[in-house]
Amino acid sequence: MNPASDFVMVANRLPVSRDDEADRWVTSPGGLVSALVPILTAREGAWIGWTGAPDDAPPPFEHDGMRLIPVPLTAEELESYYLGFCNNTLWPLYHNAIRTPAYHRHWWRPYQAVNARFAEAVAETLNPGGTAWVHDYQLQLVPGSLRSLRPEVTIGFFLHIPFPPVELFAYLPWRTSVLRGLLGSDVLAFQTEQSVTNFRDAALRYAGATEPPGREGELEFEGRRVRLQWAPISVDADAFESAAGRPAVIDSAERLRERIRPARKLMLGVDRLDYTKGIDHRLRAVQTFHERHPEAARDTVLLQLAVPSREEVIQYAEQRERVERLVGQINGEHGDPGYTPVVYMYRHLGFEELVAAYLAADVMLVTPLADGMNLVAKEYIASRTSDDGLLVLSEFAGAAAELKEALLVNPLDLDGLAETLLYAVTISREASASRMRPLRQTVREYDVYRWSRNCLEALES
Ligand code: ADP
Ligand code: F6P
């Protein structure tokens, strides 16, 4: 029996990871966890999720003031539910099918089973009349199952990735079940207005939901109201700004700049190595920049930091090979013993190292082909301690709806992106400051704490 709570967070992963050497749990980094820890602590809430290791189901435990309730996943379920249905069906489909999604019934059934297990764990944990806040594409059936088990509770759902246009979503053989699962929620929140519209269209067409007259932003489903919310997630802007002011971070940023001399400008890319992030297109644009504008390009270095991700999925392994081949090509074609055009690191960086890189970068390149939000763009802006620095941002990142003063690009237009790079590294200080100033204001004003308040207010009003 799980300890009972009035408020439960539900996500595929728990907000901790295991440090086996030190024999302890470590709180995961990131704004989402920082924003939710105080909420969970104040409400004596619980977080239900997977520990990150197969067949691992320790009993509920406390960590950093949070009550954590592990849900077990077997090694087979990791293959079929997580790598299969989540990362080979839903992930590519929801990211505009930029890789071909695979549809397998032997992945769908484990997806249903795992979602049912999560819903049961929530139903066991939640006090009468309590609130569950369910997160992301791995758990889309949880609201519906929980609604059947516990009709009286309040259920919120937040989708961290895009909801695809109805023409694409229509391909999913289990589209109606997924919609019915999501429609078990009281409030369904999305990163962009476009995702809200896409979901509404799909729910009207394939799940029999209706739009109550005169009630914008709501659907009616099985006699209940479901509210649709646009709630763009953000970062802990204060944490980045204050780290960027620490002497040790300023020193590492300085050292980083000195090491890349004699290049004049540092361009930076920071991504999970995911094919949605457009790292290969970015590199090809940098290659084009060197071919078309060799003098200006030679005054730059691209530092590309890539964090390993989902390495067991074939498309990710292929993407890594593609990226590493391109880095080799560019350095082979345009480098010499005194100059390396692209410095590439494939590893996880510590928080302060990351902020130092943001601080050192003259131009930040965030060029995904599709992205729910893209927190890296907001982290870069939050780390600026003055109005210098420039953000080149894909119009296909959710963040583009808010960060309008960035240099917005279509990352597939390699020639256009190469010209934007030339512009970005030669722009005057005043022109770049007139872009960075309002961006800093936006990110400071709308941080992750405001996001979580907005979501919870919608859920509890
Ligand atoms: P996604 O959720 O798809 O991974 P986001 O850009 O929203 O994309 O979030 C990525 C997170 O991963 C950011 O918080 C970023 O700081 C972190 N990150 C990316 N690359 C690295 C790296 N090399 N080292 C450490 N953290 C990284
Ligand atoms: O952006 C979607 C997301 O699932 C995040 O929630 C998560 O941090 C990231 O992708 C990495 O995913 P995974 O849990 O599959 O390693």
Side-chain angles (χ1 to χ4, degrees):
M1 196 65 188
N2 295 336
S5 289
D6 289 334
F7 181 77
V8 172
M9 266 288 294
V10 197
N12 180 52
R13 287 182 192 270
L14 286 171
V16 291
S17 59
R18 186 82 196 145
D19 177 348
D20 282 328
E21 256 171 49
D23 190 26
R24 65 189 177 106
W25 294 97
V26 183
T27 301
S28 309
L32 175 68
V33 176
S34 324
L36 291 170
V37 170
I39 297 169
L40 285 176
T41 314
R43 298 171 184 224
E44 295 184 0
W47 187 311
I48 293 181
W50 169 54
T51 59
D55 298 310
D56 185 31
F61 60 98
E62 299 262 337
H63 179 81
D64 256 3
M66 295 179 284
R67 187 178 296 168
L68 304 177
I69 302 178
V71 174
L73 294 182
T74 64
E76 293 77 43
E77 284 168 342
L78 282 182
E79 284 286 324
S80 53
Y81 150 79
Y82 174 70
L83 294 172
F85 199 76
C86 292
N87 290 324
N88 248 311
T89 307
L90 295 174
W91 184 267
L93 179 66
Y94 282 32
H95 288 90
N96 283 340
I98 56 174
R99 291 289 183 279
T100 308
Y103 304 103
H104 295 299
R105 286 167 290 180
H106 60 271
W107 289 348
W108 165 244
R109 288 186 211 104
Y111 183 79
Q112 287 176 296
V114 169
N115 272 253
R117 187 175 313 144
F118 270 82
E120 278 153 26
V122 183
E124 260 185 40
T125 307
L126 212 50
N127 276 330
T131 299
W133 195 14
V134 185
H135 287 255
D136 229 355
Y137 63 103
Q138 299 93 347
L139 300 178
Q140 294 173 104
L141 307 181
V142 168
S145 305
L146 181 58
R147 179 68 58 206
S148 317
L149 295 166
R150 296 286 304 275
E152 91 293 357
V153 297
T154 302
I155 306 172
F157 184 94
F158 184 77
L159 187 68
H160 290 249
I161 67 174
F163 193 89
V166 65
E167 295 79 3
L168 270 179
F169 183 74
Y171 284 116
L172 186 68
W174 309 281
R175 62 196 182 195
T176 303
S177 305
V178 167
L179 292 168
R180 292 179 68 83
L182 290 167
L183 287 163
S185 313
D186 295 287
V187 181
L188 263 164
F190 299 88
Q191 299 273 30
T192 61
E193 280 182 301
Q194 187 61 56
S195 285
V196 172
T197 305
N198 293 346
F199 176 79
R200 192 198 55 215
D201 292 350
L204 297 178
R205 197 177 304 177
Y206 294 116
T210 53
E211 276 182 309
R215 306 186 81 119
E216 214 181 302
E218 283 185 18
L219 292 175
E220 203 162 285
F221 182 67
E222 298 188 334
R224 287 183 307 105
R225 276 174 51 193
V226 179
R227 286 165 63 191
L228 305 183
Q229 188 187 15
W230 173 34
I233 198 168
S234 192
V235 298
D236 185 345
D238 261 356
F240 282 90
E241 196 177 335
S242 54
R246 286 204 276 277
V249 175
I250 296 171
D251 270 8
S252 343
E254 273 306 309
R255 279 202 307 278
L256 182 58
R257 283 181 149 285
E258 277 163 21
R259 278 202 299 270
I260 60 131
R261 274 185 193 149
R264 191 160 55 90
K265 298 264 175 169
L266 176 62
M267 306 191 292
L268 177 67
V270 174
D271 311 79
R272 216 160 32 75
L273 207 150
D274 193 300
Y275 53 79
T276 59
K277 303 292 179 184
I279 307 173
D280 46 344
H281 291 81
R282 184 184 310 159
L283 288 167
R284 285 164 62 201
V286 167
Q287 195 168 32
T288 308
F289 181 32
H290 278 275
E291 285 159 7
R292 286 186 164 195
H293 305 288
E295 271 182 40
R298 210 185 147 82
D299 268 349
T300 67
V301 165
L302 169 66
L303 172 60
Q304 177 61 55
L305 309 176
V307 67
S309 179
R310 304 175 192 162
E311 289 174 295
E312 303 87 336
V313 179
I314 182 77
Q315 292 90 341
Y316 286 69
E318 286 169 357
Q319 177 68 353
R320 180 179 175 194
E321 275 176 23
R322 191 174 297 119
V323 163
E324 296 185 351
R325 202 169 38 240
L326 277 164
V327 170
Q329 251 175 36
I330 300 172
N331 286 339
E333 285 162 10
H334 301 285
D336 61 40
Y339 174 57
T340 307
V342 183
V343 176
Y344 167 74
M345 287 160 68
Y346 181 64
R347 75 186 76 129
H348 195 272
L349 259 66
F351 176 66
E352 293 204 339
E353 266 181 298
L354 192 63
V355 179
Y358 288 143
L359 197 53
D362 300 293
V363 179
M364 182 80 213
L365 303 181
V366 179
T367 56
L369 307 184
D371 209 333
M373 175 51 56
N374 198 291
L375 294 179
V376 165
K378 293 184 173 181
E379 291 173 1
Y380 173 66
I381 292 166
S383 304
R384 305 311 296 170
T385 44
S386 66
D387 291 337
D388 61 1
L390 206 65
L391 173 65
V392 174
L393 178 62
S394 162
E395 59 191 75
F396 307 126
E402 294 166 275
L403 306 181
K404 294 198 170 70
E405 294 84 4
L407 284 175
L408 294 178
V409 293
N410 171 358
L412 291 159
D413 173 9
L414 301 183
D415 289 339
L417 185 46
E419 292 309 311
T420 303
L421 296 183
L422 175 66
Y423 178 71
V425 297
T426 52
I427 191 173
S428 72
R429 274 186 95 84
E430 304 79 72
S432 86
S434 69
R435 290 178 177 274
M436 185 50 77
R437 207 173 299 119
L439 289 173
R440 290 178 70 206
Q441 183 83 15
T442 304
V443 173
R444 254 200 310 262
E445 256 181 50
Y446 202 98
D447 66 2
V448 72
Y449 296 95
R450 177 128 171 222
W451 167 81
S452 61
R453 269 201 312 279
N454 282 353
C455 290
L456 291 173
E457 271 167 24
L459 201 48
E460 292 170 349
S461 63

